[in-house]
Amino acid sequence: MRVLVTGANGYIGRKVVSKLCDFNFDVIACDLNSTNIDKRAKFIQLDILNFFEKDLFKYFQEPDICLHLAWRDGFKHFSLNHLLDFSSHIKFLENLVSNGLSRLAIMGTMHEVGYFIGAIDENTVCKPSNYYGIAKNMLRESTRILCEQNKVERKRLRAFYIYSDEELGNSVLSKIKEADNLREKEFSMTSGMNKFDFIELDELAQFICLVISQNSINGIINVCSGKPITLKSKVLDFVSQNNLHIKLNWGVYPERESESPCIYGSRTKLDKILENYEKNLK
């Protein structure tokens, strides 16, 4: 299967490309540069926000599926670029679809849902509260219509709180590790009592690969742990696993009013995909 991955050099993209190569997929990696892209993938340089009119489906060697991860300012939730870039994203995807693409998978986010308490599933109403969530939700709705009109198979991969032991990310865990590496003595926190759905980057990449490699389950699919864990518990575990020495000052900052006290994803669809994958291995 030939997979086109946009945003292939990004925080998530570089991991997904390597996993897809491990699965022996034919990977076309698209981004502005190839600094962190697995050499097993074929790299095609293109600014998807500013491309000349062309048949992109043919340009990318007629992929079986496009995994659209490309997104600017993903860690800056109130950047105006989220809204300004939206039309370029839909223009890019419409070009692929109108010229022959039959399967499309797009990276979503729990931020498109907004403030919510409890388990998010595919029917949860979306009321985003920042520009990032608004733009992602606009893309979700627009591609739903685009794919329905063109009879294209669509997957919406909804991620939650992503972390890794690397410093390329923007999670509080990455910031704590960075502060420890800089030999800072203390790191101030909230109470840490809010509960979130954390997923490690490598595991997320694995889930994404398994989700897009099958075609029996489509629509909105949460790629998550499905378990709400307090921030404090996760941080303490992370500090212990990475042998960090920095002192954590809890309760210095108030909880954000816009942040849910408990939010996580339903794994009904993902668990079925994983179950089917395990069955096929036997």
Side-chain angles (χ1 to χ4, degrees), residues 7-9 30-34 37 43-49:
N9 198 46
C30 171
D31 212 316
L32 296 175
N33 63 73
S34 60
I37 295 176
F43 174 64
I44 296 181
Q45 185 177 37
L46 182 73
D47 179 359
I48 70 160
L49 300 180

Side-chain angles (χ1 to χ4, degrees), residues 12 106-114 116 119-127 133 136-137 140-141 154-162 197 199 204 207-208 211 219-225 263-266 270:
I12 299 175
I106 302 175
M107 200 69 209
T109 170
M110 50 82 62
H111 290 287
E112 64 202 23
V113 173
F116 186 83
I120 292 172
D121 62 22
E122 62 183 316
N123 298 311
T124 302
V125 176
C126 293
K127 294 182 179 180
K136 282 285 192 175
N137 194 50
R140 178 183 68 87
E141 291 284 26
R154 179 185 69 106
K155 292 179 175 64
R156 180 71 173 182
L157 310 171
R158 183 175 281 159
F160 288 70
Y161 287 85
I162 308 164
D197 190 320
I199 186 165
L204 173 67
F207 287 163
I208 290 173
V211 168
I220 297 173
I221 302 169
N222 292 329
V223 278
C224 61
S225 71
I263 188 167
Y264 59 104
S266 165
L270 178 62

Side-chain angles (χ1 to χ4, degrees), residues 4 32 50 64 119 123 132 142 147 149 160 175 188 198 200 204 206 242 246 261 263 275:
L4 166 63
L32 296 175
N50 297 284
D64 297 294
N123 298 311
Y132 175 61
S142 298
C147 291
Q149 290 179 337
F160 288 70
K175 291 177 180 178
S188 297
F198 295 95
E200 204 276 329
L204 173 67
Q206 178 84 358
N242 288 275
I246 196 166
I263 188 167
E275 180 185 329

Side-chain angles (χ1 to χ4, degrees), residues 189-194 230-233 249-255:
M189 302 282 298
T190 64
S191 70
M193 289 297 102
N194 282 1
T230 64
L231 175 62
K232 187 170 187 177
S233 176
N249 294 326
W250 299 99
V252 175
Y253 299 119
E255 310 292 346

